[in-house]
Amino acid sequence: MDLGWLTDTTLFGNSALRWILFALVALVATVALRSARELGRRRLRHMVGRTRNIVDDLLSDLVSNVWTPVLAGLGLWLGSQLLELPSGLGGWLDTAITLLLILQGGMWGNRSIQVAVRHYRTEDGVDGARRTTLAALTFLGRLTLFSVLILLALDNLGIDITALLAGVGIGAVAIGLALQNILSDLFASLSIVLDKPFEIDDFIVVDDLAGTVENVGLRTTRVRSLSGEQLVFANNDLLTSRIRNYKRMQERRVVFSLGVVYDTPHDVLAEIPGVVRDIVEQQASVRFDRAHLKGFGPSSLDFEVVYWMLDPDYTAFMDTQQTINLALVRAFTERGIEFAFPTQTLHVHGLQGTPRTAGSEG
């Protein structure tokens, strides 16, 4: 059989043999790439079922979202390396493959944003307010992603984007200056959502203001104060302040003082720390720390007591402190120990120099 036609017949400057090889390589490459995609998809899905790692979920979704036309385009490009194409046709093919890859990158970027948002909502149970914030930030992320992809596509199509970038840059600076406060609050909202210094229903104190967080929005965070009114904080101002989050308190350190009169005997004074210790240790969810004669006050001998509440709830702390106070009153009464209160002693000297003393309460 005469096979000379394989080399003698030409099309666009390439023999029939080269075109056949081109077709075979393109077909084999496309099939191999699709097989690799399916194999990777199966293995990653099996891995996702055994772990809760977001990386596994992301890789599985990215592999599953490899677009078939992209695989076919890569197969054609590999096969075309065997051909000697005119410069115009070869450049057109390279541009087409680049645009397909840019499109695939856009699909991957969009899918990555979806997976990240889905994982965050699943893990943290995002409330309605934060869901609104996430939706806005997701929109901004996609807008940025597709803006970059469009610029890359225009550049690969031979369009000069230098002037366009300069105009966009100037516009972005102008918009940034005009919306400086709004953008700072928006990015502060992103920081609150991701870093979570506080969450809905947390009790926080900011400077001299305190209350329960009700809503975290794009620009403001709203807090219900103890007296009932709603406090509205700009997100940026809130993050630049020192926030005390009492909802995340694990233990509460309690310090209180009590005073007894100066006439209390020495041996009784020495017993008081032990009496206080016994009373505190009888309470539930309490760890005693110390009780000491702290110092000499103007009208009392002052003791300082420290203990830890293992339950951070404020009502539980107040109930426990009340029980301790009542027990101290009973114990001191049984031992004849007098609590001190502000008093003054006035010394009066008579005309003949005979001192007279009078006590007064202040």
Coordinates of all heavy atoms in Angstrom, one line a residue, residues 113-148:
I113 N -14.5 31.4 47.0 CA -15.3 32.3 47.9 C -16.5 31.6 48.4 O -16.9 31.7 49.6 CB -15.7 33.5 47.1 CG1 -14.4 34.3 46.7 CG2 -16.6 34.4 47.9 CD1 -14.7 35.5 45.8
Q114 N -17.2 30.8 47.5 CA -18.4 30.1 48.0 C -18.1 29.1 49.1 O -18.8 29.0 50.1 CB -19.1 29.4 46.8 CG -19.7 30.4 45.8 CD -20.3 29.6 44.6 OE1 -20.1 28.4 44.4 NE2 -21.1 30.3 43.8
V115 N -17.0 28.3 48.9 CA -16.7 27.3 49.8 C -16.3 27.9 51.2 O -16.7 27.5 52.2 CB -15.5 26.4 49.3 CG1 -15.0 25.5 50.4 CG2 -16.0 25.6 48.1
A116 N -15.5 29.0 51.1 CA -15.1 29.7 52.4 C -16.3 30.2 53.1 O -16.4 30.0 54.4 CB -14.1 30.8 52.0
V117 N -17.3 30.8 52.4 CA -18.5 31.4 53.1 C -19.3 30.3 53.7 O -19.8 30.3 54.8 CB -19.3 32.3 52.1 CG1 -20.6 32.6 52.7 CG2 -18.5 33.5 51.8
R118 N -19.5 29.2 52.9 CA -20.3 28.0 53.3 C -19.7 27.4 54.6 O -20.4 27.1 55.5 CB -20.4 27.0 52.2 CG -21.3 25.8 52.6 CD -21.2 24.8 51.4 NE -19.9 24.3 51.2 CZ -19.5 23.6 50.1 NH1 -20.4 23.5 49.1 NH2 -18.3 23.2 50.0
H119 N -18.3 27.2 54.6 CA -17.7 26.6 55.7 C -17.8 27.5 56.9 O -18.1 27.0 58.0 CB -16.2 26.5 55.4 CG -15.4 25.9 56.5 ND1 -15.4 24.5 56.8 CD2 -14.6 26.4 57.4 CE1 -14.6 24.3 57.8 NE2 -14.1 25.4 58.2
Y120 N -17.7 28.8 56.8 CA -17.8 29.7 57.9 C -19.2 29.7 58.5 O -19.4 29.6 59.7 CB -17.5 31.2 57.5 CG -17.5 32.2 58.6 CD1 -16.4 32.3 59.5 CD2 -18.7 32.9 58.8 CE1 -16.5 33.2 60.5 CE2 -18.7 33.8 59.9 CZ -17.6 34.0 60.7 OH -17.7 34.9 61.7
R121 N -20.2 29.7 57.6 CA -21.6 29.6 58.1 C -21.9 28.3 58.9 O -22.6 28.3 59.9 CB -22.6 29.8 57.0 CG -22.6 31.2 56.4 CD -23.6 31.3 55.2 NE -23.7 32.7 54.8 CZ -24.4 33.0 53.7 NH1 -25.0 32.1 53.0 NH2 -24.5 34.3 53.4
T122 N -21.3 27.2 58.3 CA -21.6 25.9 58.9 C -20.9 25.8 60.3 O -21.5 25.3 61.3 CB -21.1 24.8 58.0 OG1 -21.7 24.9 56.8 CG2 -21.3 23.4 58.6
E123 N -19.7 26.3 60.4 CA -18.9 26.2 61.6 C -19.4 27.1 62.7 O -19.4 26.7 63.9 CB -17.4 26.5 61.4 CG -16.7 25.4 60.5 CD -16.6 24.1 61.3 OE1 -16.4 24.1 62.5 OE2 -16.8 23.1 60.6
D124 N -19.8 28.3 62.4 CA -20.1 29.3 63.4 C -21.6 29.6 63.6 O -22.0 30.4 64.4 CB -19.3 30.6 63.1 CG -17.8 30.3 63.2 OD1 -17.3 30.1 64.3 OD2 -17.2 30.3 62.2
G125 N -22.5 29.1 62.7 CA -23.9 29.4 62.9 C -24.1 30.9 62.7 O -24.6 31.5 63.7
V126 N -23.8 31.5 61.6 CA -23.8 32.9 61.5 C -25.3 33.4 61.6 O -26.2 32.9 61.0 CB -23.3 33.3 60.1 CG1 -23.3 34.8 60.0 CG2 -21.8 32.8 60.0
D127 N -25.5 34.5 62.4 CA -26.8 35.0 62.6 C -27.1 35.9 61.4 O -26.3 36.1 60.5 CB -26.8 35.9 63.9 CG -25.7 36.9 63.9 OD1 -24.6 36.6 64.3 OD2 -26.0 38.0 63.4
G128 N -28.4 36.5 61.4 CA -28.8 37.3 60.3 C -28.0 38.5 60.0 O -27.7 38.8 58.9
A129 N -27.6 39.2 61.1 CA -26.8 40.4 60.9 C -25.4 40.1 60.2 O -25.0 40.8 59.3 CB -26.6 41.1 62.2
R130 N -24.8 39.1 60.7 CA -23.5 38.7 60.1 C -23.7 38.1 58.7 O -22.8 38.2 57.9 CB -22.7 37.8 61.0 CG -22.3 38.4 62.3 CD -21.3 37.7 63.0 NE -20.8 38.4 64.2 CZ -19.8 38.1 64.9 NH1 -19.1 37.0 64.6 NH2 -19.4 38.8 66.0
R131 N -24.8 37.5 58.5 CA -25.0 37.0 57.1 C -25.1 38.1 56.1 O -24.6 38.0 55.0 CB -26.3 36.1 57.1 CG -26.5 35.4 55.8 CD -27.7 34.5 55.9 NE -27.5 33.4 56.8 CZ -28.1 33.2 58.0 NH1 -29.0 34.1 58.4 NH2 -27.8 32.2 58.8
T132 N -25.7 39.2 56.5 CA -25.7 40.4 55.7 C -24.3 40.9 55.4 O -24.0 41.3 54.3 CB -26.6 41.5 56.3 OG1 -27.9 41.0 56.6 CG2 -26.7 42.7 55.4
T133 N -23.5 41.0 56.5 CA -22.1 41.4 56.3 C -21.4 40.5 55.4 O -20.6 41.0 54.5 CB -21.4 41.5 57.7 OG1 -22.2 42.4 58.5 CG2 -20.0 42.0 57.5
L134 N -21.5 39.2 55.6 CA -20.8 38.3 54.7 C -21.3 38.4 53.2 O -20.5 38.3 52.3 CB -21.1 36.8 55.2 CG -20.2 36.3 56.3 CD1 -20.6 34.9 56.7 CD2 -18.7 36.3 55.9
A135 N -22.6 38.6 53.0 CA -23.1 38.8 51.7 C -22.4 40.0 51.0 O -22.0 39.9 49.8 CB -24.6 38.9 51.7
A136 N -22.3 41.1 51.7 CA -21.7 42.3 51.2 C -20.2 42.1 50.9 O -19.7 42.4 49.8 CB -21.9 43.5 52.1
L137 N -19.5 41.4 51.8 CA -18.1 41.2 51.6 C -17.9 40.2 50.5 O -16.9 40.3 49.7 CB -17.5 40.7 52.9 CG -17.5 41.7 54.0 CD1 -17.0 41.0 55.3 CD2 -16.6 42.9 53.7
T138 N -18.8 39.2 50.3 CA -18.7 38.2 49.2 C -18.9 39.0 47.9 O -18.1 38.7 46.9 CB -19.8 37.2 49.4 OG1 -19.6 36.5 50.6 CG2 -19.7 36.2 48.2
F139 N -19.8 39.9 47.8 CA -20.0 40.7 46.6 C -18.7 41.5 46.3 O -18.3 41.5 45.1 CB -21.2 41.6 46.8 CG -21.3 42.6 45.7 CD1 -21.8 42.3 44.4 CD2 -20.9 44.0 45.9 CE1 -21.9 43.2 43.4 CE2 -21.0 44.9 44.9 CZ -21.5 44.5 43.6
L140 N -18.1 42.1 47.3 CA -16.9 42.9 47.0 C -15.8 42.0 46.5 O -15.0 42.3 45.6 CB -16.5 43.6 48.3 CG -17.4 44.8 48.7 CD1 -16.9 45.4 50.0 CD2 -17.4 45.8 47.6
G141 N -15.7 40.8 47.1 CA -14.6 39.8 46.7 C -14.8 39.4 45.3 O -13.8 39.4 44.5
R142 N -16.0 39.1 44.9 CA -16.3 38.7 43.5 C -16.1 39.9 42.5 O -15.6 39.7 41.4 CB -17.7 38.2 43.4 CG -17.9 36.8 44.0 CD -19.4 36.4 44.0 NE -19.5 35.0 44.5 CZ -20.7 34.5 44.8 NH1 -21.8 35.2 44.8 NH2 -20.7 33.2 45.3
L143 N -16.4 41.1 43.0 CA -16.2 42.2 42.1 C -14.8 42.4 41.8 O -14.3 42.7 40.7 CB -16.8 43.5 42.8 CG -16.7 44.8 42.0 CD1 -17.4 44.7 40.7 CD2 -17.2 45.9 42.8
T144 N -13.9 42.3 42.9 CA -12.5 42.4 42.7 C -11.9 41.3 41.8 O -11.1 41.6 40.9 CB -11.8 42.4 44.1 OG1 -12.3 43.4 44.9 CG2 -10.3 42.6 43.9
L145 N -12.4 40.1 42.0 CA -11.9 39.0 41.3 C -12.2 39.1 39.8 O -11.3 39.0 38.9 CB -12.5 37.7 41.8 CG -12.3 36.4 40.9 CD1 -10.8 36.0 40.9 CD2 -13.2 35.3 41.4
F146 N -13.4 39.4 39.4 CA -13.8 39.5 38.0 C -13.2 40.8 37.4 O -13.0 40.8 36.2 CB -15.3 39.5 37.9 CG -15.9 38.1 38.2 CD1 -16.7 37.9 39.3 CD2 -15.5 37.0 37.4 CE1 -17.2 36.6 39.5 CE2 -16.0 35.7 37.6 CZ -16.9 35.5 38.7
S147 N -13.0 41.8 38.1 CA -12.4 43.0 37.6 C -10.9 42.7 37.1 O -10.5 43.1 36.0 CB -12.3 44.2 38.6 OG -13.6 44.6 39.0
V148 N -10.2 41.9 38.0 CA -8.9 41.5 37.6 C -8.9 40.6 36.4 O -8.1 40.8 35.5 CB -8.2 40.8 38.8 CG1 -6.8 40.2 38.4 CG2 -8.0 41.8 40.0

